[in-house]
Amino acid sequence: MYHHIADPPPDADAIRRDLSVSPQAFEAQLRYLVRAGYQPVTLCDLIYHLSLGTPLPEKPIILTFDDGYEDHYTNAYPLLQKYGFVGAFFIITEPVDSRRAGYMSWAQIEIMSTAGMEIGAHGYTHLDLRGQSVDYIIWQAVGSREAIEARLQQPVRFFSYPSGGYDEQVINVLRSANFWGAVTTEAGTKQSSRQPFVLRRIRVRSSDTPDTLALKLSMP
């Protein structure tokens, strides 16, 4: 689970610094993954495996990127292509619609989608969905999916919970809206066919090196 692939600005707060992986560090991590024999798969590949038993490579890995920052296109995307990786990018759609500085444009998202990157929804305004009404969850989750689908002409199958927050009602709405699954911020590498809407991830921090990433990937 990545956020910014960029050096943080000089005035960045502690959260921004923690969520910023430099392009140089990201490339070093990709080089490690290649050397260690990891092979990129998509979230669709994972769900096919969990639900249908479709085989995966011996060491599969899914790289996810939350929020839709512009540095995903300018920094992460070229490096993914260089090393033969695919990424899953979860888009907050309101900043894209309003052309807010620091976020990707629809044209950039379309370029990545056409090149094989997986595009998912991350809400309209990235607000916590726990305890909200069904209508509100539909507006945030299904609305953001429809906005992406309308522009890319591709189905959006997966959701990333804003701030990692979810409850049973959120899962029920996603399931009824025919999402295939959702990713959390809960740490772990093992996934279950019984919990496609509680997919776990490993948070990559600014301080992570290839060695610390290797340790994280060995956790259950």
Side-chain angles (χ1 to χ4, degrees), residues 24 33 35 37 60-61 91 103 112 124 133 135 143 145 167 170 196-197 213 215:
Q24 294 79 14
L33 294 174
R35 290 197 308 270
I61 191 163
I91 309 301
Y103 288 84
M112 294 202 306
Y124 181 63
S133 69
D135 285 348
R145 179 181 71 179
D167 55 25
V170 177
F197 289 89
L213 180 60
L215 289 174

Side-chain angles (χ1 to χ4, degrees), residues 49-67:
H49 172 72
L50 294 175
S51 60
L52 303 175
T54 304
L56 291 176
E58 182 179 351
K59 297 179 74 172
I61 191 163
I62 300 171
L63 304 181
T64 69
F65 302 81
D66 280 9
D67 300 336

